[in-house]
Every structure is written in C-alpha cells, then in structure tokens.
Amino acid sequence: MTAAAAHSPAPNWSFRADEAARSVTRLFGQRLFFLPGTHIAATSRPSGRLKNLARPWHYWWQAHYVDCLIDTGRRELGGEGHTPAKFDGDNLPSAGKLASRLVTGIRLRNFLTVVNSYYDDMAWLALATLRLEKLAEDTRKTTGRRRNAKVLKSLTLQFDSASTDDLGGGTFWSKKRDFKNTPATAPVALYYARTGQAAKAQALLDWLDAKLYDPEQGMYRDGLRIAPGGELVLESAIYTYNQGPVLGALLEMGGDANLERAAALVAAVERNLTVQAPLMGRKAAVLRSEGTGDGGLFTGVLVRYLALAAVDERLPAETRATAALLVTDTAESFWEGRRLVGAQEPLARRGARLVFSARPELPARRSYPAGSAVELSTQLQAWMVLEAAASIAGKLPAVGKPTTETAAESAPETPAPSASEDVSEAAPDTAAETSSGN
C-alpha cells in the first residue's frame, strides 16, 4: 500500500455520505404497518410494502441501519467548518429522529420485544442504541430515552446469560447454545467495554485470543461448535466483519497489550483482507467484500472500526495511516463505482438517486445488472464506509487518490459518468458509474 496521494485535495466526504444517506433512506425507508412514529427498512427494492413484510426478518440489518443513521445524525450537528443541517432537508425528519423511530419499529416488528434467538443480532442493536442514547444526550432530546434504557437493560441480561464458562468462556451465538463464536463474543465484549464492565470485556477478549486467534494470519477465526456427540469443532473461516468489533473492543479497553494486539490486527487486515481495485488514475488495495445477503454488510462493519483506529493517537503512526488509507480507498472505490438511478427506473419512484456496488472493486453495473433488485445490506455497507471516511476527514493528513473533486461534489444534479464507461484492471482510470441489483 502506498501513500502517494498524501498531499492531494481531500474529497468532500460529508457530501458523499449525505448522498448515500438520502439514497438509502428514500429507497428502503418506510413506516411499519403505516404506524406514525415508526420507521423500518425494506430488505429489497423494488418491491411493495406487504411483499417486504413477508420476507425473512433481518433484525441485524436494521440494527446497522440505526448505526448508519446515527453516523449521519452526528454530522447533522455540524462542526469542523460544517453548518448544522438536516441531511434530507428541513421538511423531513432528522437522521437522529429516524434512528429513534427505527428502534421503535424494530421492537414492534420483532413481536413487541428486542430479544431474539441470536446474541450477535442483539449485540449490534445494543451498540447502536448506546450510540443513539449518547446522541440524544448531546442534543438534549428526551423522546425515546426511557425506551432506550429498557432496551439496554433487557439486552444486557441476555448477554450476561450467554457469556458463560462453557468452553472456557466466550459468548454463545444463539439460544441453541451449541456454538461460541467471534460474531457474538466480539460485539458483546465491545458493549461491555462501553458500559463500564471492563472485567467482563477483557475476559471475552482474552478468550478470543486463546481460542480463536490464528497466529499465522494474525486474525480471529469464526468459532467453536459443540457437535452432537459433544466434541468441539473449530470453524476456521476468517471473515472481515469479525475483525471489526474485536478491533473496536481492543481500542475501547486500551492498555499496552490490547493496543499492541489492535495494531497487529490492522496490519493483518491489510495483508490478508484486501484486493486490488481500479480507481481514477491508479490502483489501490481496498477491503474485500463478502457478497450479498448478510455478507453484504461485512466490509462495512470492519471499516467502521478501522476508522476508530485511524484517529486513535495511542496507536503507532504507521498503524493509523494504514487504517486511514484502507478506509478512504475503500470509500473512494464505492463512490467511484456508484451509478445514478435513471428517471424511468422503478427505483426512481421512491426518490433514490444512487445505487452502490456490493463489491468495492467492481462498478455497480457489474455487481448489479440494471433491472435487478437491490438489497438493503449492500447499500448500508457502502453508506457505512462513506460515513467512516467522513468521520476521519480533517482529523489526519489527507489520504486517498490524487484528484480534485468532481463537479458532482459541488453540484449534486450533475450526472455521473456514463454507465457505458468501463472500469477494469486494464483501464483503472475510467469512471465507475453503474447499475442496481441483488
């Protein structure tokens, strides 16, 4: 990885993140059962409201939708030269208000409870609700705070019941209690760390290090499963999103040993989880994606926590620079690979402007052929990555591609490059505007 663009003008990441926020909320957002004061996301478009309700319930996608709205809500407050403003105009709800309505919608859609069968799902909602509560506190809002407290109390009890001494520690993945894994243990550790339960958080991190850390790759494997006969089976797959909450928990806990592990994890991610992507005028190492469905969120989750590492001054400068470049180059790749929604497309009827690729190294027209359905997970992923880039903008020396901002940065109505333009290994400097799909 190089930093050849260290002195290039910085992209307007806040503008880009707002464009993603508007596209996702307009395309997927809706009231739940037409109920006022609620919000929920369809899992796929184009499709009708009732058809979406008949689809499988993706609780954890909605939890990450809350997190993305909070990212946008933070930027709505202004700062660093930005004037406070709602992301989608003064006449529509703020991102923070939508996030609060979404937590209500999740509870109603989940049959009047936030408890479900998967502890990792609940951990993601708990982390998002913690951030929502902090946003409400900072903006002196009172609506939803009693509900937030009830959500957090209920979910904390779930995590306490799932984090047992079985298999030496760790957190069960589901109510079946036959699998302890990184997807549940890491975000629960992060939740404990952020709620003042340091001993519990450290115990979970130490269990991950003892049981699931792969020293050859420097990353965390998926989990330990209890087979029907009682023997233990190591699930050795390495997933991008598993590394993210481990990194977040290590940073939250701090201390020399945890910070050393965090720095080593960032280096391992760069070595093992990147692919080459063609950007304007250059190639770059960007984070690999894990496909669609649940995997369509994985890269975004990792990038969220790499952004924290990028601005953590307790880490070595080289580690921070590596994390920052992974964030900004992956974000740049998603941005260059976007496509404008045509006026005659079904997606345009909901006000969507952009569709993002499921894979940062490919333009959206290749990832999603025109006319196919667009999944919520992949669009949340791109939005999350753009928000991560916006969150570190101005906090570190400029990194990314050597370019000036395109006209689209200052004039949102300006058409992006034509979908007929190609982005390939042979022509990395061509535009990457493209199509929608599933």
Side-chain angles (χ1 to χ4, degrees), residues 28-371:
F28 295 96
Q30 60 187 44
R31 286 181 177 180
L32 177 66
F33 304 125
F34 302 98
L35 292 173
T38 67
H39 190 72
I40 206 75
T43 57
S44 181
R45 291 293 193 200
S47 65
R49 189 181 301 262
L50 294 178
K51 185 174 181 180
N52 267 294
L53 289 173
R55 286 195 169 102
W57 169 227
H58 291 289
Y59 177 115
W60 83 290
W61 296 13
Q62 308 290 335
H64 284 287
Y65 185 22
V66 176
D67 245 347
C68 286
L69 285 167
I70 296 166
D71 293 337
T72 303
R74 280 279 165 201
R75 288 188 300 100
E76 286 181 326
L77 302 182
E80 297 289 335
H82 296 289
T83 303
K86 292 182 180 179
F87 79 102
D88 204 11
D90 291 337
N91 295 325
L92 292 173
S94 68
K97 181 171 286 188
L98 283 179
S100 183
R101 291 177 179 179
L102 178 56
V103 173
T104 296
I106 291 170
R107 177 182 170 275
L108 293 175
R109 176 62 180 81
N110 199 57
F111 305 104
L112 303 180
T113 180
V114 292
V115 175
N116 83 350
S117 297
Y118 297 92
Y119 295 105
D120 58 336
D121 288 9
M122 292 186 278
W124 292 121
L125 183 60
L127 289 168
T129 305
L130 267 182
R131 296 184 66 225
L132 178 61
E133 178 63 14
K134 184 64 167 64
L135 180 63
E137 179 183 328
D138 291 347
T139 55
R140 300 181 180 179
K141 304 291 186 184
T142 57
T143 303
R145 297 192 65 180
R146 182 179 298 179
R147 177 211 56 216
N148 293 345
K150 290 181 178 179
V151 167
L152 294 173
K153 181 179 179 180
S154 176
L155 294 180
T156 300
L157 292 173
Q158 294 296 314
F159 306 147
D160 290 347
S161 73
S163 302
T164 69
D165 292 334
D166 301 281
L167 309 186
T171 304
F172 281 113
W173 176 56
S174 76
K175 296 292 180 74
K176 293 174 70 173
R177 294 179 173 259
D178 61 355
F179 190 31
K180 285 194 169 181
N181 65 1
T182 306
T185 303
V188 169
L190 179 56
Y191 176 78
Y192 280 149
R194 288 181 173 175
T195 54
Q197 302 179 77
K200 291 181 179 179
Q202 192 62 59
L204 293 179
L205 284 171
D206 291 344
W207 182 84
L208 285 168
D209 210 46
K211 301 293 186 180
L212 296 180
Y213 183 72
D214 181 348
E216 291 187 3
Q217 297 188 73
M219 294 183 295
Y220 294 84
R221 293 170 289 205
D222 195 43
L224 283 174
R225 190 178 301 278
I226 304 172
E231 65 274 16
L232 294 184
V233 178
L234 174 64
E235 301 287 351
S236 60
I238 299 286
Y239 295 112
T240 49
Y241 85 126
N242 281 344
Q243 317 314 311
V246 175
L247 177 60
L250 291 169
L251 295 174
E252 194 72 32
M253 288 300 297
D256 290 346
N258 286 328
L259 293 175
E260 286 176 10
R261 289 156 73 181
L265 184 55
V266 171
V269 166
E270 182 197 23
R271 285 195 311 271
N272 300 305
L273 298 181
T274 57
V275 295
Q276 288 294 304
L279 300 181
M280 293 286 193
R282 68 187 178 102
K283 291 183 180 179
V286 302
L287 291 162
R288 80 181 194 202
S289 68
E290 307 275 6
T292 56
D294 283 347
L297 272 169
F298 285 11
T299 299
V301 173
L302 174 55
V303 170
R304 174 179 296 283
Y305 297 102
L306 284 171
L308 298 181
V311 295
D312 194 321
E313 295 185 355
R314 299 170 300 172
L315 295 174
E318 181 180 0
T319 299
R320 300 198 307 270
T322 296
L325 202 56
L326 287 171
V327 170
T328 53
D329 277 352
T330 303
E332 187 66 47
S333 189
F334 274 121
W335 180 255
E336 290 186 11
R338 75 201 186 282
R339 81 163 176 95
L340 293 182
V341 174
Q344 304 305 313
E345 294 183 55
L347 298 179
R349 299 189 198 121
R350 302 193 60 85
R353 292 164 56 96
L354 302 176
V355 170
F356 295 95
S357 177
R359 297 174 56 184
E361 76 275 17
L362 288 180
R365 64 181 166 81
R366 292 188 179 180
S367 178
Y368 291 141

Side-chain angles (χ1 to χ4, degrees), residues 4-13 16 279-282 328-329 332-333 335-336 398-409 429:
H7 303 293
S8 64
N12 187 344
W13 289 115
R16 294 174 172 188
L279 300 181
M280 293 286 193
R282 68 187 178 102
T328 53
D329 277 352
E332 187 66 47
S333 189
W335 180 255
E336 290 186 11
V399 294
K401 67 171 187 169
T403 182
T404 56
E405 281 304 293
T406 65
E409 297 293 338
D429 57 341

